[in-house]
Amino acid sequence: MIPESFIADRPTSLRRRPGYGVIARYRDWLPVSESDPVISLGEGSTPLVAAEKLSEILHCETWIKVEGANPTGSFKDRGMTVALSVAAGQAVQAVVCASTGNTSASAAAYAAKAGLSTIVLLPAGRIATGKLAQAIVHGAKVVQIDANFDDCLELARKLAHEYPVALVNSVNPNRIEGQKTAAFEVIDELGDAPEVHVVPVGNAGNISAYWRGYTQYMSAGKATRTPRMWGFQADGAAPLVLGHPVLQPETVATAIRIGNPASAEQALAARDESGGLIEAVSDQQILDAQAFLAREEGIFVEPASAAGVAGLLAKQQRGEIESGLKIAVTVTGHGLKDIDAALSRLGPIHAEVVTADLLAVATVCGLLD
Ligand code: F0G
């Protein structure tokens, strides 16, 4: 029989130092204090996959950081473990976020783990079904707002200012701190920084987080260089490319349908300090890149996540990529979150139904020819 004292102690002692997750792996680099409970679902340590087909096309050594392999299916979990651990340490009761879907899914899961309640503000009708399901299933209070993401973020900020709820959008610095660990992992795995790191850009927190991770690791002597940061937005939601906010952002990549990025300044600094760039790709290029990743590299991502690869392929076609570069590209979220977008280009699902007969199956599979 398990002694009662053990049961009573267990949650606290288990939360002090779990052996998994980004806080366990990179605690010295993160603003989590000894007294904070660690709220982790085992995020981070995601695959860095050698992208053979993409490398062939680009004439570059190309690696894909598969962030859809995180517990809730996106890179948001890296920041959320830190934000929720700190919030739980401060005895916060509830958290709030605005989201295009992934932040809300992650916040809802980590708050559930922490025993806190979550409020999520979402642009009505513009959230992929899988992400909406995640927030609801994890028990968040889901409020759809008849407005876009930028308006939702404004409301979330005000809610956190006026009421006793903690904001866990990436304007919360603990989120960026957690997300920078992806850059640490790339260096730890490759032995040095790549020459170029490519990411999709929406609210612009992640490109800023990678840049922080790369610069911190280099300052500590863990890398000999920092990469050029290349960010890609969607044509219809490209405020950082245009140089001004977009009032009515529009793109099939709903995760990055953002017209006024909260971390615009930091993202532009990351671009300039790294000698990088932020460009835009069309919805068609995004969907083509999504299909390429699925069919050629075996990686199923949601549309926004394919923006970086779309950008690389577009630049290659224009002759703008020098051969022989070492490139890392982050794909940010799992394709299963938004199957409507993935299937929309294919039309109705076409899978034949045949009798349970070997010859019938072999025939429809074309094996008799
Ligand atoms: N890719 C995916 C799948 C995302 O969900 C997001 C952002 C981004 C890229 C862009 O990252 O905002 O740091 O530049 N999603 C946020 C959300 C806005 O609410 O889930 P960013």
Side-chain angles (χ1 to χ4, degrees), residues 75-76 99-100 102-103 201-206 255-256 258 302 305 332:
F75 70 98
K76 305 288 180 179
S99 183
T100 56
N102 282 321
T103 298
V201 174
N203 209 26
N206 210 28
I256 52 172
I258 293 174
E302 62 166 293
S305 305
T332 43

Side-chain angles (χ1 to χ4, degrees), residues 158-353:
K158 286 183 180 154
L159 213 60
H161 190 252
E162 303 279 331
Y163 300 92
V165 290
L167 186 65
V168 293
N169 278 104
S170 57
V171 291
N172 176 333
N174 297 317
R175 284 274 315 282
I176 302 292
E177 286 294 311
Q179 284 174 210
K180 77 185 178 189
T181 59
F184 295 169
E185 288 178 14
V186 172
I187 291 174
D188 285 342
E189 199 142 338
L190 296 180
D192 204 344
E195 288 163 288
V196 174
H197 193 113
V198 187
V199 283
V201 174
N203 209 26
N206 210 28
I207 190 170
S208 317
Y210 269 95
W211 182 237
R212 184 176 302 176
Y214 278 125
T215 49
Q216 283 189 357
Y217 240 32
M218 195 182 84
S219 301
K222 297 223 171 224
T224 64
R225 61 184 177 208
T226 52
R228 285 179 261 162
M229 297 302 304
W230 287 6
F232 291 93
Q233 302 200 286
D235 267 346
L240 299 180
V241 181
L242 296 170
H244 58 76
V246 174
L247 286 182
Q248 284 172 333
E250 204 46 81
T251 167
V252 66
T254 51
I256 52 172
R257 187 172 165 269
I258 293 174
N260 191 13
S263 300
E265 219 171 281
Q266 296 90 317
L268 294 176
R271 177 195 68 185
D272 297 342
E273 288 166 22
S274 74
L277 54 86
I278 297 179
E279 295 182 354
V281 284
S282 70
D283 278 4
Q284 193 55 53
Q285 287 171 322
I286 287 173
L287 292 174
D288 288 348
Q290 181 189 33
F292 169 85
L293 280 166
R295 300 183 72 107
E296 303 294 332
E297 298 289 358
I299 301 171
F300 184 19
V301 303
E302 62 166 293
S305 305
V309 174
L312 282 173
L313 292 172
K315 286 184 83 61
Q316 161 63 22
Q317 280 195 342
R318 297 196 297 265
E320 293 172 5
I321 297 186
E322 55 211 92
S323 298
L325 286 176
K326 188 180 267 202
I327 301 176
V329 50
T330 299
V331 293
T332 43
H334 203 290
L336 287 172
K337 284 169 172 276
D338 191 358
I339 55 171
D340 297 333
L343 293 176
S344 64
R345 62 185 281 129
L346 303 175
I349 295 180
H350 183 71
E352 284 167 77
V353 180

